[in-house]
Amino acid sequence: NPGGNVSGTATTLQIAHESGLEIGGGQEKVDSQATTKANELNRVTGYVKYSYGGLTVSYQEAGEDPAEDNATATGANPDKESEIFGIAYTAGDLTVSYGEAETTVSAIGATAALPAIELTSIQAAYTMGAMTVSAAMSETDNDNGVAAQKYEENTLAVSFAF
């Protein structure tokens, strides 16, 4: 690390109920031992997940907040906030799932905020004994915070367990 030594702490909490409801969260703090604070930041996340039979639905929010010195430094990391949603259904050997996420990156000083990065993905997997066939279609809008830059990926995979 060119900025000096860093250390940190992280804490997580998860509460699950037999009804299928699960709530959790976490916090991480990275501290720099150097005079520059360019590597210091705080991250937090919280989620709720509910499962009933083969259906699972989840929602998560996360944020990254650089240290005050970091937020005003040239080339520093901006604040980031993310919202993530997912749903999955399993029936026997078939699982189908859908997920989407949106990350917003705030402005630093005179630098404009980046456009929101939006991800969507749909997946399916079928298991036959020791073999799994899976497929996924994923799309990212405003990839890497570049307006109108799109990234698409399609995946088809076959895996074997021995």
Side-chain angles (χ1 to χ4, degrees), residues 6 19 27 34 37 48-49 51 55 79 93 105 111 120 128-129 139 141-142 148 157 162:
V6 295
S19 67
Q27 187 254 348
K37 303 298 183 189
V48 61
K49 179 172 82 171
S51 298
L55 181 67
D79 288 351
D93 297 331
V105 181
T111 305
T120 57
M128 297 165 282
E139 179 178 288
D141 292 325
N142 303 323
F162 295 100

Side-chain angles (χ1 to χ4, degrees), residues 64-114:
E64 184 175 296
D65 181 27
E68 190 170 319
D69 292 354
N70 186 356
T72 58
T74 303
N77 295 321
D79 288 351
K80 297 176 185 171
E81 294 181 4
S82 298
E83 287 186 72
I84 302 111
F85 166 78
I87 186 167
Y89 184 72
T90 300
D93 297 331
L94 177 66
T95 300
V96 178
S97 60
Y98 173 81
E100 57 184 54
E102 180 176 288
T103 299
T104 56
V105 181
S106 64
I108 297 178
T111 305
L114 299 175

Side-chain angles (χ1 to χ4, degrees), residues 10 41 52 78-79 88 105-106 140 150 152 157:
L41 57 90
Y52 181 77
D79 288 351
V105 181
S106 64
T140 304
K150 185 174 278 205
E152 295 177 350

Side-chain angles (χ1 to χ4, degrees), residues 13-34:
L13 175 66
Q14 173 189 2
I15 300 170
H17 188 265
E18 62 188 30
S19 67
L21 181 63
E22 182 179 314
I23 299 171
Q27 187 254 348
E28 174 186 40
K29 182 175 180 169
V30 178
D31 298 311
S32 175
Q33 306 305 313

Side-chain angles (χ1 to χ4, degrees), residues 135-138 152-156:
M137 295 185 312
S138 303
E152 295 177 350
E153 182 174 300
N154 298 311
T155 306
L156 180 61

